[in-house]
């Protein structure tokens, strides 16, 4: 198990996750980050807020970034 933190990056601003969570591996954490990003985006859409530019920075306990999930990349948009 590894403890990872889901910090939210929005331009120059970083909102830190103070608790983190334990995951089997980075891929499992990434899957959870995608789900969480979709949930946050749905609330932003409902509130009429901007939905471009935010991302999760997944960091380990030392603060090193192990993965990044851009919110715009988790949307499934119809191309037509």
């Amino acid at each position: 198990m590894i403890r990872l933190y889901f910090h939210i990056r929005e331009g120059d601003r970083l909102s830190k996750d103070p608790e983190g969570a334990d995951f089997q591996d980075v891929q499992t954490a990434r899957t959870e980050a995608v789900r969480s990003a979709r949930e946050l985006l749905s609330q932003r859409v409902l509130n009429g807020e901007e939905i471009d530019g935010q991302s999760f920075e997944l960091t380990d306990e030392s603060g090193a970034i192990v993965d990044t999930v851009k919110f715009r990349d988790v949307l499934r948009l119809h191309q037509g």
Side-chain angles (χ1 to χ4, degrees):
M1 294 293 264
I2 55 172
R3 178 163 289 269
L4 295 176
Y5 300 83
F6 287 22
H7 305 313
I8 298 176
R9 168 74 60 189
E10 198 163 357
D12 292 336
R13 197 170 66 226
L14 184 67
S15 299
K16 291 195 170 193
D17 170 5
E19 297 177 20
D22 294 326
F23 296 95
Q24 200 66 21
D25 52 33
V26 173
Q27 183 57 44
T28 304
R30 181 178 182 76
T31 299
E32 178 61 21
V34 167
R35 189 198 64 71
S36 295
R38 287 179 177 153
E39 187 176 306
L40 289 171
L41 283 172
S42 69
Q43 288 302 310
R44 287 179 184 257
V45 167
L46 286 172
N47 293 332
E49 298 174 19
E50 181 180 332
I51 60 166
D52 189 28
Q54 300 86 16
S55 62
F56 276 124
E57 291 182 355
L58 283 63
T59 64
D60 62 17
E61 291 184 283
S62 73
I65 298 172
V66 297
D67 201 355
T68 300
V69 175
K70 294 179 180 178
F71 285 20
R72 69 174 174 253
D73 292 345
V74 304
L75 296 173
R76 293 180 59 188
L77 301 174
H78 175 70
Q79 303 292 320

